[in-house]
Amino acid sequence: MTDVRAEEAAAGLDIVPSGAGSGGAGAGSDGAGSDGTGKSAPPSFGISGWLTWGWRQLTSMRTALVLLFLLALGSVPGSMLPQEGADPAGVQQYFTSHPALAPLLNHLGLFNVFAAPWFAAIYLLLFTSLVGCVVPRTFRLAGSARSLPPRAPRFLSRLPHSAGYSTALPPDEAIEAAAGVLARRGFRLRRAPAAETWVSAERGYLREAGNLLFHLALLGVLVSIALGGLFGYKADKLLVAGQTFADTRSALDEFHPGRLVGGGDLPPFTITLNQFAASYLESGPDRGQPSFFDARISYTASPGDPARSYDLEINRPLSVDSTKVYLIGHGYAPVFRVTDARGQVVYNAATPFIPGSTGNFLSEGVVKVPGAQPQQLGFLCVFVPTAVDVGGTLESVFPAAGNPAVSLIAYAGDLGMNSGVPQSVYQLDTAGMRRLTTGTELLQPGQTLRLPGGRGTIAFTGYRQWVSLQITHDPGQLPALACGIAALAGLLLSFMVRRRRVFVRARAGERGTTVQVGGLARTDASGGFEDEFASLANELAAAHHSTGPARQSETGE
Amino acid sequence: MSVNLGLGQVSNDFLIAALVVYSLSVLAFAGDFAFGRPRRAASAAGAQRAASEARVAQLAAVGAAVAGAQTVAGAPAAAKPPADVTAPGEAGRPADAVPAGADPAAPPATGETRAAGPEQGRPLPEVVPSGFGAVRQAGAWVQAALALSVLGVSAHTVAVVTRGLAVHRAPWGNMYEFVTALTCVATIFFVGVILRYRAWALGVFVMGSVVVALGLTETLIYTAAGPLVPALQSYWLDIHVAAMTLATGIFFVAAVFGVVYLVAGRYGKRVPAGKAAPGNGIVLRLPGAEQLDRLTYRTVVFGFPVWTFGVIAGAIWADQAWGRYWGWDPVETWAFITWVLYACFLHARATAGWRGRRAHLIQLLGFASLIFNVLVVQVFVTGMHSYAGVG
């Protein structure tokens, strides 16, 4: 056994029956104290022997340390490779650019590391090891809180901290005075039997309690996360200014329920986006950097309730009926009016466009007009908020709509919407369609494009803005926060409190009574026991009206 | 509110001033190495180890209880005179410390009991003199170095504060501001360590690293004062990033200590093997391995809860801003990795076979992951924390 506990056992030390790191890794899952044979050869007897051996291996500090390492190591690919949860498009792209490597990585779960079985195996083993170490220690702490401090050792000068002096008081009175000082300082005392003159004192049980609290709270965080995964959900909704939506499964764009959540569990609120405003830096090196977003919404918590208004901002979500609504994105929705060959208005709506990666909200979108006669119409469009012609190509030079324009390509034919294959509203399947215009056509607000062959017109009548909302419900959130705070409190306790013992012995000597004070701190993470002992010893000496240099008795030393 | 360019310039000027003064303090610390009052610490570490081992043996015999590493408690980071071996009651008392209690509050018994013999002579412990008193004893070079450090820290603090006033927010909104603030934390913390643990022998390394970090920041990633994107406009920025800055500054100091520990330890191993000449002047002036180890440990113990708090505050903010408290965003993942690695260090120090060199390598790995997070992940890996404002 190469664990510290073994050293303590070898040294016959017994301040606390469990052996934790002497340096006191406050955060240490210091392991089971019974674990004195950890690295010895596995026993050659029966299944139960093997099980015991395995359990001791698992709950040993070395194993915990290795598992901690693996946890850190295992997290690395999760940050280096695109992850399905956070960046599904990135995963797709990785498959395209690394066709040979990607399936292999996928097989290893490296695109979803934090849900991968091997990752779960690491943290579950770690937490099992933690439980196996923390639970016995809790019992031991409870035991030592009930029992008294140990008897004072015979030779206190052999303790790491000790002091001696003589006093005129008789031994029993000196011990009485010392007990008074120690009790005032909050130590638990153990008094000597009638014939002896010593007192033992101990303080700082909160250190171990804090350490245990920290580890149990980590366990609590894990349970809270699991709670969120089972009973929570996450949904997305894109909402154009002026529109209203009700929080039902069909109205949501995306719905990711937890394992035990159904569509009926959604709270029945409705939200209307009245207005959205974004402002951007107008000048300086960071020109175009957003400076403020504000979505004015009104909402009703449940049908029949009065509508209330709220300013939804980034960092300022709306809490409604145990869910939270976040502003997570925004964009432009140009409004088009399309007439077909018969002159009928077959499309008149704000159409959300997706901002591209080129910046300044150059946005792409499609307009699909399945009701147009004689053939269905489709338009591939680009919306440019502040358009500038740079050498023949349209570019956006500012994210705000200073000079909005739309460039589009018109198609006629079959949109393919009845093929049974679900279509994205942001993509146009031109397989069954014929291009109507040779180049791209540029429209400014209010302008109308007449389609060739008398197929109708498309007018760019203006634009609105849209916001994307994220609706989340996570019942594990508050427990996780509480556990996080508890973990921090436990950590602080285990680092700041030191568990220490102080012993005082008084012996009648040739010239008055000799008093010996001894002290030891088992764990002293933040230091300072030496100073405390110095001040305590001096206080004791003062209480004993110390007289002159120490004169130790010759016996026994 | 618009940026106050005048104040921004004041901040830049003070930062340059701090950099110059810090460089001078490094020279002064180096001067202490070269010309300062010599220490009597020739074989302090070895003697100390022998003493503590002897004591453990004694303890085992009596059946009294104490853990091995605990036997030498007290003021770390100060080289001890070999005389301590015969006066164990003086454990941890620095060589340069004033022998008599400088604290007027100490009871009169102090000092009078020193006459007792070595074995029985465990007189009343003295109250250790204040850090300033110890510095006064340490000679002109140390005094000058400390004075320059304090002057530099003052200029540095003014630079950070005026930057904050110039931009009307907490001055840690981009990487330039972050490094400026964290080095400020590191130097303030280290001045505290000097005063509390008399660790001026480490000054040339810590202040030297600060000068290098600050100089690189100033030349490579200087960012003019400017406002923040909406995602950062939250009081959680103040809280979360402040905690991360504090913890990083503290871990920075711990990392320098760890490197010194490893280099000095390697030298100590090479001497008996005949690969290095004994009596290296710099190593002799350093605190003993055990004290360096304990000092590093306490520094990490100080930083770890701050880091933990920073991660929790970040989770609360992420919940406010992004609708989830933990999403394995690359920066979150690396903050987690850093946390786990420092937890490894704390545990390793309590696991035999992992103490010493190995534990400190883990600690340095933790700091490396932190730096990797700041310099690589936040800049080059796309995630929700891409606010570095570099390039």
Side-chain angles (χ1 to χ4, degrees):
Chain A
M1 179 73 194
T2 52
D3 209 303
V4 271
R5 285 162 243 144
E7 291 179 8
E8 288 184 11
L13 307 177
D14 67 341
I15 174 161
V16 171
S18 77
S22 51
S29 67
D30 296 314
S34 57
D35 183 5
T37 56
K39 215 188 174 183
S40 61
S44 53
F45 49 84
I47 292 179
S48 69
W50 277 101
L51 284 176
T52 315
W53 178 81
W55 178 249
R56 283 185 180 171
Q57 286 297 309
L58 180 62
T59 54
S60 81
M61 182 78 122
R62 287 161 52 88
T63 309
L65 201 56
V66 169
L67 287 170
L68 263 178
F69 252 132
L70 287 176
L71 192 64
L73 199 65
S75 306
V76 174
S79 74
M80 292 292 143
L81 291 168
Q83 296 293 297
E84 271 159 21
D87 185 14
V91 177
Q92 288 301 320
Q93 201 183 341
Y94 198 90
F95 266 90
T96 322
S97 52
H98 301 84
L101 189 60
L104 183 69
L105 297 180
N106 191 34
H107 198 69
L108 295 172
L110 292 180
F111 294 116
N112 203 0
V113 165
F114 302 106
W118 58 265
F119 193 77
I122 295 175
Y123 68 74
L124 289 179
L125 276 174
L126 182 62
F127 275 96
T128 311
S129 167
L130 196 153
V131 168
C133 134
V134 162
V135 169
R137 280 169 60 201
T138 310
F139 284 117
R140 273 198 299 278
L141 176 66
S144 69
R146 278 198 306 271
S147 60
L148 289 171
R151 301 167 52 89
R154 189 158 168 73
F155 303 113
L156 297 182
S157 62
R158 290 175 182 176
L159 292 177
H161 301 276
S162 70
Y165 53 84
S166 43
T167 173
L169 291 175
D172 51 344
E173 281 178 39
I175 290 302
E176 206 53 45
V181 169
L182 290 166
R184 267 201 304 284
R185 283 200 172 216
F187 280 86
R188 283 183 73 204
L189 300 184
R190 172 173 184 157
R191 310 299 295 266
E196 298 174 39
T197 48
W198 52 262
V199 61
S200 304
E202 183 165 16
R203 262 202 90 172
Y205 296 88
L206 274 180
R207 194 213 80 90
E208 178 75 351
N211 192 314
L212 293 172
L213 176 66
F214 171 75
H215 288 100
L216 290 174
L218 289 188
L219 208 60
V221 170
L222 189 72
V223 172
S224 308
I225 292 172
L227 210 62
L230 291 178
F231 298 101
Y233 59 80
K234 193 181 117 179
D236 291 320
K237 173 66 186 171
L238 188 150
L239 195 60
V240 177
Q243 287 181 352
T244 301
F245 94 102
D247 184 37
T248 59
R249 192 163 185 166
S250 58
L252 294 167
D253 299 329
E254 284 197 41
F255 183 53
H256 303 285
R259 283 176 194 268
L260 300 177
V261 176
D265 296 328
L266 294 171
F269 60 84
T270 60
I271 291 180
T272 307
L273 177 63
N274 299 321
Q275 198 198 341
F276 175 76
S279 57
Y280 306 89
L281 295 184
E282 301 276 346
S283 58
D286 298 322
R287 182 173 186 272
Q289 174 182 303
S291 59
F292 191 68
F293 301 128
D294 177 19
R296 303 239 166 111
I297 59 168
S298 48
Y299 68 98
T300 53
S302 56
D305 279 12
R308 289 181 224 174
S309 57
Y310 191 83
D311 281 357
L312 198 62
E313 294 167 25
I314 287 181
N315 287 318
R316 190 165 177 267
L318 165 71
S319 288
V320 51
D321 202 1
S322 86
T323 63
K324 283 188 172 175
V325 181
Y326 299 83
L327 174 64
I328 57 165
H330 67 110
Y332 291 99
V335 185
F336 295 99
R337 192 180 66 232
V338 180
T339 58
D340 64 1
R342 302 166 294 170
Q344 286 192 347
V345 178
V346 283
Y347 188 94
N348 189 4
T351 312
F353 277 28
I354 301 301
S357 55
T358 50
N360 285 329
F361 277 83
L362 187 91
S363 310
E364 294 175 7
V366 301
V367 174
K368 298 182 188 179
V369 192
Q373 297 288 342
Q375 272 185 306
Q376 293 181 332
L377 293 173
F379 303 90
L380 272 179
C381 313
V382 171
F383 175 83
V384 191
T386 300
V388 166
D389 191 337
V390 182
T393 46
L394 207 55
E395 283 190 13
S396 177
V397 294
F398 198 68
N403 177 28
V406 161
S407 78
L408 59 83
I409 303 171
Y411 291 88
D414 181 10
L415 286 167
M417 291 169 87
N418 298 324
S419 63
V421 181
Q423 273 194 346
S424 163
V425 292
Y426 303 110
Q427 277 168 354
L428 190 66
D429 179 11
T430 54
M433 306 195 83
R434 187 168 56 83
R435 191 165 163 166
L436 293 180
T437 47
T438 49
T440 56
E441 302 287 340
L442 190 67
L443 293 180
Q444 289 189 322
Q447 290 186 336
T448 302
L449 173 72
R450 196 163 294 280
L451 299 175
R455 289 173 183 275
T457 60
I458 178 166
F460 171 37
T461 57
Y463 69 91
R464 293 199 208 152
Q465 301 207 56
W466 56 258
V467 297
S468 61
L469 303 177
Q470 179 173 299
I471 300 152
T472 59
H473 171 64
D474 186 351
Q477 196 181 49
L478 267 183
L481 180 62
C483 290
I485 291 170
L488 190 60
L491 201 56
L492 288 173
L493 277 181
S494 78
F495 282 160
M496 288 161 66
V497 176
R498 53 179 165 269
R499 186 155 179 190
R500 65 272 198 200
R501 287 182 181 162
V502 173
F503 307 99
V504 182
R505 271 189 182 275
R507 290 190 182 91
E510 331 159 347
R511 290 172 52 184
T513 302
T514 306
V515 178
Q516 280 277 331
V517 186
L520 60 90
R522 197 177 133 258
T523 50
D524 193 7
S526 48
F529 179 64
E530 174 163 277
D531 291 346
E532 185 190 0
F533 182 78
S535 114
L536 181 65
N538 282 304
E539 192 181 330
L540 285 168
H544 289 150
H545 307 99
S546 168
T547 52
R551 294 298 300 262
Q552 309 272 330
S553 76
E554 298 297 318
T555 54
E557 295 274 337
Chain B
M1 257 192 279
S2 67
V3 172
N4 186 330
L5 293 175
L7 267 180
Q9 191 54 48
V10 169
S11 166
N12 293 349
D13 294 343
F14 268 97
L15 198 61
I16 298 291
L19 199 49
V20 171
V21 178
Y22 282 156
S23 309
L24 292 176
S25 86
V26 174
L27 284 180
F29 279 122
D32 175 49
F33 271 174
F35 317 111
R37 192 171 294 182
R39 253 173 235 216
R40 296 170 289 158
S43 58
Q48 180 187 330
R49 180 159 306 146
S52 72
E53 274 163 11
R55 205 173 301 148
V56 169
Q58 279 182 333
L59 279 175
V62 214
V66 65
Q70 204 58 44
T71 50
V72 189
K80 289 198 306 175
D84 272 0
V85 181
T86 49
E90 298 269 299
R93 200 58 48 85
D96 297 338
V98 197
D103 188 349
T110 302
E112 290 174 291
T113 53
R114 289 180 60 82
E119 185 47 43
Q120 297 162 18
R122 291 268 205 129
L124 282 178
E126 292 144 12
V127 177
V128 180
S130 72
F132 287 107
V135 168
R136 212 174 301 128
Q137 297 270 319
W141 284 101
V142 173
Q143 289 169 27
L146 189 70
L148 284 167
S149 302
V150 171
L151 187 68
V153 167
S154 314
H156 198 162
T157 310
V158 171
V160 171
V161 170
T162 48
R163 175 82 174 200
L165 293 174
V167 292
H168 315 290
R169 56 173 169 79
W172 38 76
N174 55 44
M175 193 191 293
Y176 167 75
E177 292 173 353
F178 176 70
V179 179
T180 310
L182 88 85
T183 44
C184 191
V185 169
T187 45
I188 291 173
F189 184 82
F190 181 63
V191 168
V193 168
I194 290 185
L195 291 181
R196 175 153 184 199
Y197 297 113
R198 296 134 181 86
W200 48 77
L202 299 166
V204 69
F205 307 106
V206 176
M207 298 311 278
S209 313
V210 166
V211 167
V212 170
L214 209 52
L216 287 175
T217 310
E218 188 70 22
T219 47
L220 295 182
I221 58 170
Y222 174 75
T223 312
L228 294 176
V229 295
L232 292 182
Q233 293 165 7
S234 164
Y235 59 88
W236 284 107
L237 168 75
D238 303 6
I239 300 169
H240 163 63
V241 188
M244 287 319 207
T245 310
L246 266 174
T248 308
I250 296 166
F251 285 153
F252 180 95
V253 176
V256 177
F257 289 170
V259 170
V260 174
Y261 173 89
L262 288 178
V263 173
R266 190 177 131 84
Y267 171 82
K269 279 214 180 104
R270 283 164 61 89
V271 170
K275 288 178 187 161
N280 182 306
I282 291 179
V283 172
L284 282 185
R285 283 166 175 276
L286 294 177
E290 227 172 283
Q291 285 146 324
L292 264 176
D293 173 61
R294 201 176 313 119
L295 190 61
T296 315
Y297 172 65
R298 287 189 179 156
T299 308
V300 172
V301 157
F302 202 86
F304 189 73
V306 183
W307 184 266
T308 310
F309 172 75
V311 171
I312 293 174
I316 297 174
W317 186 16
D319 185 59
Q320 294 283 310
W322 304 324
R324 84 288 186 293
Y325 58 89
W326 196 266
W328 297 110
D329 180 70
V331 169
E332 291 172 357
T333 306
W334 279 93
F336 172 76
I337 292 172
T338 304
W339 188 84
V340 169
L341 285 174
Y342 276 105
C344 275
F345 167 70
L346 295 174
H347 286 93
R349 238 184 128 270
T351 309
W354 285 81
R355 282 188 210 149
R357 232 179 88 75
R358 277 201 195 178
H360 284 271
L361 285 173
I362 297 172
Q363 191 250 126
L364 291 179
L365 205 61
F367 191 68
S369 78
L370 202 168
I371 294 304
F372 182 77
N373 198 353
V374 173
L375 292 186
V376 179
V377 179
Q378 294 192 12
V379 179
F380 297 108
V381 181
T382 311
M384 301 185 85
H385 277 83
S386 306
Y387 305 123
V390 174

PDB file of all heavy atoms in Angstrom, chain A residues 432-451:
ATOM      1  N   GLY A 432     -37.057  20.182 -59.558  1.00  0.00           N
ATOM      2  CA  GLY A 432     -38.206  20.145 -60.465  1.00  0.00           C
ATOM      3  C   GLY A 432     -38.578  21.538 -60.979  1.00  0.00           C
ATOM      4  O   GLY A 432     -39.730  21.754 -61.366  1.00  0.00           O
ATOM      5  N   MET A 433     -37.633  22.454 -60.940  1.00  0.00           N
ATOM      6  CA  MET A 433     -37.983  23.837 -61.268  1.00  0.00           C
ATOM      7  C   MET A 433     -37.082  24.382 -62.370  1.00  0.00           C
ATOM      8  O   MET A 433     -35.997  23.871 -62.626  1.00  0.00           O
ATOM      9  CB  MET A 433     -37.865  24.719 -60.011  1.00  0.00           C
ATOM     10  CG  MET A 433     -38.683  24.170 -58.848  1.00  0.00           C
ATOM     11  SD  MET A 433     -38.916  25.358 -57.532  1.00  0.00           S
ATOM     12  CE  MET A 433     -40.286  26.293 -58.119  1.00  0.00           C
ATOM     13  N   ARG A 434     -37.570  25.444 -62.977  1.00  0.00           N
ATOM     14  CA  ARG A 434     -36.847  26.080 -64.077  1.00  0.00           C
ATOM     15  C   ARG A 434     -36.566  27.515 -63.672  1.00  0.00           C
ATOM     16  O   ARG A 434     -37.407  28.194 -63.092  1.00  0.00           O
ATOM     17  CB  ARG A 434     -37.738  26.041 -65.326  1.00  0.00           C
ATOM     18  CG  ARG A 434     -37.094  26.508 -66.597  1.00  0.00           C
ATOM     19  CD  ARG A 434     -37.999  26.123 -67.777  1.00  0.00           C
ATOM     20  NE  ARG A 434     -39.355  26.687 -67.595  1.00  0.00           N
ATOM     21  CZ  ARG A 434     -39.678  27.943 -67.930  1.00  0.00           C
ATOM     22  NH1 ARG A 434     -38.782  28.755 -68.464  1.00  0.00           N
ATOM     23  NH2 ARG A 434     -40.914  28.396 -67.761  1.00  0.00           N
ATOM     24  N   ARG A 435     -35.353  27.938 -63.951  1.00  0.00           N
ATOM     25  CA  ARG A 435     -34.969  29.299 -63.569  1.00  0.00           C
ATOM     26  C   ARG A 435     -35.619  30.298 -64.516  1.00  0.00           C
ATOM     27  O   ARG A 435     -35.583  30.121 -65.742  1.00  0.00           O
ATOM     28  CB  ARG A 435     -33.442  29.395 -63.645  1.00  0.00           C
ATOM     29  CG  ARG A 435     -32.894  30.625 -63.033  1.00  0.00           C
ATOM     30  CD  ARG A 435     -31.393  30.433 -62.827  1.00  0.00           C
ATOM     31  NE  ARG A 435     -30.775  31.732 -62.623  1.00  0.00           N
ATOM     32  CZ  ARG A 435     -29.565  31.910 -62.158  1.00  0.00           C
ATOM     33  NH1 ARG A 435     -28.826  30.852 -61.843  1.00  0.00           N
ATOM     34  NH2 ARG A 435     -29.069  33.106 -61.996  1.00  0.00           N
ATOM     35  N   LEU A 436     -36.239  31.333 -63.950  1.00  0.00           N
ATOM     36  CA  LEU A 436     -36.954  32.289 -64.773  1.00  0.00           C
ATOM     37  C   LEU A 436     -36.079  33.479 -65.155  1.00  0.00           C
ATOM     38  O   LEU A 436     -36.224  34.043 -66.230  1.00  0.00           O
ATOM     39  CB  LEU A 436     -38.186  32.813 -64.034  1.00  0.00           C
ATOM     40  CG  LEU A 436     -39.291  31.798 -63.770  1.00  0.00           C
ATOM     41  CD1 LEU A 436     -40.433  32.445 -63.030  1.00  0.00           C
ATOM     42  CD2 LEU A 436     -39.782  31.193 -65.084  1.00  0.00           C
ATOM     43  N   THR A 437     -35.203  33.900 -64.261  1.00  0.00           N
ATOM     44  CA  THR A 437     -34.408  35.095 -64.530  1.00  0.00           C
ATOM     45  C   THR A 437     -32.974  34.653 -64.823  1.00  0.00           C
ATOM     46  O   THR A 437     -32.480  33.687 -64.240  1.00  0.00           O
ATOM     47  CB  THR A 437     -34.412  36.027 -63.312  1.00  0.00           C
ATOM     48  OG1 THR A 437     -34.143  35.250 -62.145  1.00  0.00           O
ATOM     49  CG2 THR A 437     -35.750  36.698 -63.164  1.00  0.00           C
ATOM     50  N   THR A 438     -32.330  35.388 -65.699  1.00  0.00           N
ATOM     51  CA  THR A 438     -30.967  35.000 -66.066  1.00  0.00           C
ATOM     52  C   THR A 438     -29.986  35.373 -64.961  1.00  0.00           C
ATOM     53  O   THR A 438     -29.211  34.534 -64.506  1.00  0.00           O
ATOM     54  CB  THR A 438     -30.550  35.677 -67.380  1.00  0.00           C
ATOM     55  OG1 THR A 438     -30.867  37.076 -67.274  1.00  0.00           O
ATOM     56  CG2 THR A 438     -31.255  35.049 -68.539  1.00  0.00           C
ATOM     57  N   GLY A 439     -30.042  36.614 -64.517  1.00  0.00           N
ATOM     58  CA  GLY A 439     -29.131  37.022 -63.446  1.00  0.00           C
ATOM     59  C   GLY A 439     -29.900  37.158 -62.146  1.00  0.00           C
ATOM     60  O   GLY A 439     -31.024  36.684 -62.014  1.00  0.00           O
ATOM     61  N   THR A 440     -29.260  37.769 -61.153  1.00  0.00           N
ATOM     62  CA  THR A 440     -29.989  38.070 -59.933  1.00  0.00           C
ATOM     63  C   THR A 440     -30.627  39.428 -60.090  1.00  0.00           C
ATOM     64  O   THR A 440     -30.076  40.327 -60.733  1.00  0.00           O
ATOM     65  CB  THR A 440     -29.048  38.092 -58.727  1.00  0.00           C
ATOM     66  OG1 THR A 440     -28.012  39.028 -58.984  1.00  0.00           O
ATOM     67  CG2 THR A 440     -28.448  36.731 -58.478  1.00  0.00           C
ATOM     68  N   GLU A 441     -31.810  39.560 -59.521  1.00  0.00           N
ATOM     69  CA  GLU A 441     -32.556  40.813 -59.625  1.00  0.00           C
ATOM     70  C   GLU A 441     -32.479  41.529 -58.284  1.00  0.00           C
ATOM     71  O   GLU A 441     -32.600  40.918 -57.221  1.00  0.00           O
ATOM     72  CB  GLU A 441     -34.022  40.525 -59.975  1.00  0.00           C
ATOM     73  CG  GLU A 441     -34.196  39.741 -61.273  1.00  0.00           C
ATOM     74  CD  GLU A 441     -33.916  40.608 -62.494  1.00  0.00           C
ATOM     75  OE1 GLU A 441     -33.966  41.852 -62.344  1.00  0.00           O
ATOM     76  OE2 GLU A 441     -33.623  40.049 -63.565  1.00  0.00           O
ATOM     77  N   LEU A 442     -32.280  42.822 -58.337  1.00  0.00           N
ATOM     78  CA  LEU A 442     -32.138  43.609 -57.124  1.00  0.00           C
ATOM     79  C   LEU A 442     -33.409  44.412 -56.868  1.00  0.00           C
ATOM     80  O   LEU A 442     -33.916  45.085 -57.768  1.00  0.00           O
ATOM     81  CB  LEU A 442     -30.938  44.549 -57.258  1.00  0.00           C
ATOM     82  CG  LEU A 442     -30.527  45.252 -55.975  1.00  0.00           C
ATOM     83  CD1 LEU A 442     -29.978  44.251 -54.980  1.00  0.00           C
ATOM     84  CD2 LEU A 442     -29.478  46.315 -56.282  1.00  0.00           C
ATOM     85  N   LEU A 443     -33.930  44.313 -55.651  1.00  0.00           N
ATOM     86  CA  LEU A 443     -35.139  45.059 -55.286  1.00  0.00           C
ATOM     87  C   LEU A 443     -34.872  45.895 -54.055  1.00  0.00           C
ATOM     88  O   LEU A 443     -34.203  45.442 -53.119  1.00  0.00           O
ATOM     89  CB  LEU A 443     -36.293  44.103 -54.981  1.00  0.00           C
ATOM     90  CG  LEU A 443     -36.862  43.280 -56.122  1.00  0.00           C
ATOM     91  CD1 LEU A 443     -37.978  42.400 -55.603  1.00  0.00           C
ATOM     92  CD2 LEU A 443     -37.390  44.191 -57.224  1.00  0.00           C
ATOM     93  N   GLN A 444     -35.401  47.119 -54.064  1.00  0.00           N
ATOM     94  CA  GLN A 444     -35.372  47.930 -52.862  1.00  0.00           C
ATOM     95  C   GLN A 444     -36.790  48.010 -52.315  1.00  0.00           C
ATOM     96  O   GLN A 444     -37.743  47.677 -53.015  1.00  0.00           O
ATOM     97  CB  GLN A 444     -34.793  49.298 -53.190  1.00  0.00           C
ATOM     98  CG  GLN A 444     -33.305  49.128 -53.456  1.00  0.00           C
ATOM     99  CD  GLN A 444     -32.529  50.391 -53.599  1.00  0.00           C
ATOM    100  OE1 GLN A 444     -33.040  51.341 -54.180  1.00  0.00           O
ATOM    101  NE2 GLN A 444     -31.319  50.382 -53.095  1.00  0.00           N
ATOM    102  N   PRO A 445     -36.946  48.408 -51.059  1.00  0.00           N
ATOM    103  CA  PRO A 445     -38.294  48.388 -50.479  1.00  0.00           C
ATOM    104  C   PRO A 445     -39.281  49.156 -51.352  1.00  0.00           C
ATOM    105  O   PRO A 445     -38.995  50.278 -51.786  1.00  0.00           O
ATOM    106  CB  PRO A 445     -38.099  49.065 -49.127  1.00  0.00           C
ATOM    107  CG  PRO A 445     -36.680  48.843 -48.782  1.00  0.00           C
ATOM    108  CD  PRO A 445     -35.940  48.823 -50.075  1.00  0.00           C
ATOM    109  N   GLY A 446     -40.425  48.549 -51.649  1.00  0.00           N
ATOM    110  CA  GLY A 446     -41.450  49.163 -52.471  1.00  0.00           C
ATOM    111  C   GLY A 446     -41.331  48.803 -53.934  1.00  0.00           C
ATOM    112  O   GLY A 446     -42.270  49.022 -54.694  1.00  0.00           O
ATOM    113  N   GLN A 447     -40.217  48.237 -54.348  1.00  0.00           N
ATOM    114  CA  GLN A 447     -40.051  47.899 -55.758  1.00  0.00           C
ATOM    115  C   GLN A 447     -40.671  46.539 -56.065  1.00  0.00           C
ATOM    116  O   GLN A 447     -40.759  45.674 -55.206  1.00  0.00           O
ATOM    117  CB  GLN A 447     -38.567  47.879 -56.128  1.00  0.00           C
ATOM    118  CG  GLN A 447     -37.944  49.264 -56.133  1.00  0.00           C
ATOM    119  CD  GLN A 447     -36.516  49.235 -56.637  1.00  0.00           C
ATOM    120  OE1 GLN A 447     -35.849  48.205 -56.570  1.00  0.00           O
ATOM    121  NE2 GLN A 447     -36.051  50.374 -57.134  1.00  0.00           N
ATOM    122  N   THR A 448     -41.092  46.409 -57.311  1.00  0.00           N
ATOM    123  CA  THR A 448     -41.752  45.181 -57.745  1.00  0.00           C
ATOM    124  C   THR A 448     -41.014  44.631 -58.954  1.00  0.00           C
ATOM    125  O   THR A 448     -40.572  45.393 -59.812  1.00  0.00           O
ATOM    126  CB  THR A 448     -43.212  45.468 -58.130  1.00  0.00           C
ATOM    127  OG1 THR A 448     -43.871  46.046 -56.998  1.00  0.00           O
ATOM    128  CG2 THR A 448     -43.940  44.193 -58.533  1.00  0.00           C
ATOM    129  N   LEU A 449     -40.873  43.319 -58.996  1.00  0.00           N
ATOM    130  CA  LEU A 449     -40.250  42.661 -60.149  1.00  0.00           C
ATOM    131  C   LEU A 449     -41.351  41.934 -60.917  1.00  0.00           C
ATOM    132  O   LEU A 449     -42.124  41.171 -60.346  1.00  0.00           O
ATOM    133  CB  LEU A 449     -39.185  41.666 -59.686  1.00  0.00           C
ATOM    134  CG  LEU A 449     -38.573  40.793 -60.778  1.00  0.00           C
ATOM    135  CD1 LEU A 449     -37.653  41.625 -61.666  1.00  0.00           C
ATOM    136  CD2 LEU A 449     -37.805  39.624 -60.175  1.00  0.00           C
ATOM    137  N   ARG A 450     -41.417  42.238 -62.215  1.00  0.00           N
ATOM    138  CA  ARG A 450     -42.382  41.542 -63.069  1.00  0.00           C
ATOM    139  C   ARG A 450     -41.713  40.291 -63.603  1.00  0.00           C
ATOM    140  O   ARG A 450     -40.631  40.359 -64.186  1.00  0.00           O
ATOM    141  CB  ARG A 450     -42.794  42.473 -64.221  1.00  0.00           C
ATOM    142  CG  ARG A 450     -44.034  42.067 -64.953  1.00  0.00           C
ATOM    143  CD  ARG A 450     -44.590  43.225 -65.767  1.00  0.00           C
ATOM    144  NE  ARG A 450     -45.079  44.332 -64.942  1.00  0.00           N
ATOM    145  CZ  ARG A 450     -46.258  44.350 -64.330  1.00  0.00           C
ATOM    146  NH1 ARG A 450     -47.077  43.311 -64.439  1.00  0.00           N
ATOM    147  NH2 ARG A 450     -46.622  45.372 -63.609  1.00  0.00           N
ATOM    148  N   LEU A 451     -42.337  39.125 -63.366  1.00  0.00           N
ATOM    149  CA  LEU A 451     -41.714  37.875 -63.791  1.00  0.00           C
ATOM    150  C   LEU A 451     -41.921  37.691 -65.286  1.00  0.00           C
ATOM    151  O   LEU A 451     -42.959  38.063 -65.831  1.00  0.00           O
ATOM    152  CB  LEU A 451     -42.323  36.693 -63.025  1.00  0.00           C
ATOM    153  CG  LEU A 451     -42.137  36.764 -61.510  1.00  0.00           C
ATOM    154  CD1 LEU A 451     -42.874  35.612 -60.828  1.00  0.00           C
ATOM    155  CD2 LEU A 451     -40.646  36.702 -61.151  1.00  0.00           C
TER     156      LEU A 451
END
